[in-house]
Amino acid sequence: ATAAAMAGAALAHVAQLWSLLDEMAENEPQAYRRLLRQQAARAERLRAPPEPHLCLRARPAVGARLPGSGAAGGPLFINVCSWKRVPAPEGPAEPTPVSAGPLEEAAGGGDPYSIVDIAYNPDVLQRGDENPEKMEQLIHLTLKFVEERCNLTLTSVYTVESFKLKGSLEAMQQRLKGKRMPTPQLGQSTKKELTLDQLLHAIEAEDSSRAPALLKEEGVTQSGAHLIKEIASTETPEELSTPVYEMITLKDANKKPLKIELRVELPKVSSVSECDLRISEDDIIIEVPEKYKLQLDLPELVDEETTTAVFNKGQRVLFITAPVAKPDP
C-alpha cells in the first residue's frame, strides 16, 4: 500500500471513531459520561505541575559573564524538575524531550547568581536515579543544552546541591509554564465533574508550536543518551470568535422557571469531540480551540449534574438543556 493510501485509511478510521463517539453521546449518554470522566482523570494527571528533583550549581568559564550576575564568576543554578506533561522518549535511540524556562537573574540581596529551570518526564529522572551513569549522562546533556539555549559557556565542573530547588516552588512552576491564557474562574463551591468535560486536545496543542532544538553529546555511545529535544511550554493567545447563540428560560403555568435551553451555532465544528464545555450552577463556558469561545452567566441557578448537551452534526448546532436547581428545603 502507498503512503497516501495508508494515510487515507488512517483518516477514515479516525473519522469513524469520532462518529461512534457522537452516536454514543446521543444514544448512550451514561456510557459517554463515564468515558469523559476517564479522559478527564487522565487529563488531570497531565496537568500536574512540575516538581523539583535536583539542583545543579554550574560555573561560567573563565572570563564569562552570566546575564544579570553583575560580575564575572557568578554561579548558575539549574533546577532539574520532574513534569508529567513532558513526554517520555519514544524509544531507546530517540531524543529525550525537555522543557526549559527562561534564564533569570536572582532577586534580592546577597551574592549575585542566575537560575534556569529544566524539566524532564518523571520516567527519565527515575532511570537516572536507578543508574548513576545514566544520571551523569543526563546532567552532562543538560549542561550542554543550557549552554546552547542560553548562549553561554560553562566549565565542565558542576555540583549537585543538597537541596532540590533554588528559589521558590511557585516561581519555578511559573517560569516553566510560561505565559498562558487565563483560565475561566468558577466558584469553588460549585465546580464539579460535568456531563461534558474538557477533552485532551488542549494539552497536545500547547506542546506543538516551537521547533525542536537537538543537541548531540560527543563521545557517548550508549543509546538513549544522545539527543535532547526541546518542546514548547508556552501558549500563544489567539482571537476566538463568539458564536451565535439563543438562550431561553422555560417556565411552568405559575411562571416558575423549569429549565434553561441554550442553542449555539458552531458552523466550523464537525464533531462534539472538538468542544470543551464547562458548567457551574450559574454560568456556562464553551470553547473550541482556535475557533470559538462563549461564556454566559445563567439567569437562574441550575443543576449541573443533570444538564445534558447534544451536538447535531447536520445542523452543526450544540443544544444544552439545564434544569433549574430546586431550592433548598
Side-chain angles (χ1 to χ4, degrees), residues 4 29 62 66 93 95 103 116 129 208 220 222 224 234 272-273 282 304 307:
V62 176
L66 286 174
L103 180 68
V116 67
D129 290 339
S208 62
V220 177
Q222 291 190 356
T234 60
V272 69
S273 60
D282 57 6
E304 63 266 42
T307 294

Side-chain angles (χ1 to χ4, degrees), residues 107-277:
D111 296 333
Y113 61 89
S114 295
I115 299 177
V116 67
D117 310 292
I118 304 294
Y120 295 102
N121 183 274
D123 291 344
V124 172
L125 294 171
Q126 182 177 351
R127 286 194 291 270
D129 290 339
E130 295 171 352
N131 186 326
E133 184 178 353
K134 287 185 179 295
M135 179 58 78
E136 186 176 354
Q137 292 170 355
L138 185 63
I139 289 174
H140 183 59
L141 278 175
T142 300
L143 294 173
K144 290 179 67 67
F145 173 74
V146 169
E147 284 185 318
E148 180 73 18
R149 188 178 190 275
C150 301
N151 193 26
L152 52 86
T153 304
L154 301 173
T155 69
S156 59
V157 179
Y158 66 88
T159 302
V160 179
E161 297 289 355
S162 58
F163 47 84
K164 292 184 178 182
L165 179 70
K166 184 70 173 180
S168 74
L169 178 65
E170 181 180 3
M172 176 272 286
Q173 292 176 343
Q174 182 58 42
R175 286 192 297 262
L176 278 174
K177 291 179 179 180
K179 296 179 181 179
R180 302 174 58 85
M181 290 192 296
T183 301
Q185 297 297 314
L186 300 181
Q188 292 299 315
S189 62
T190 62
K191 192 174 181 181
K192 299 179 180 179
E193 284 293 319
L194 308 175
T195 301
L196 184 59
D197 204 344
Q198 295 181 359
L199 299 177
L200 295 175
H201 52 71
I203 295 174
E204 284 79 10
E206 289 173 356
D207 292 337
S208 62
S209 61
R210 184 185 302 162
L214 300 181
L215 301 181
K216 184 173 183 179
E217 180 175 10
E218 299 176 359
V220 177
T221 58
Q222 291 190 356
S223 63
H226 292 186
L227 300 174
I228 287 183
K229 176 178 67 175
E230 183 176 5
I231 66 169
S233 61
T234 60
E235 182 178 278
T236 303
E238 299 182 6
E239 291 296 328
L240 303 179
S241 61
T242 300
V244 175
Y245 69 92
E246 179 183 11
M247 182 166 59
I248 61 174
T249 301
L250 299 181
K251 301 179 181 181
D252 62 14
N254 298 322
K255 296 185 177 182
K256 180 181 178 182
L258 291 177
K259 60 183 177 180
I260 295 172
E261 292 186 348
L262 177 63
R263 181 183 184 275
V264 185
E265 297 181 12
L266 303 171
K268 297 180 182 179
V269 176
S270 58
S271 170
V272 69
S273 60
E274 299 179 50
C275 302
D276 290 340
L277 173 62

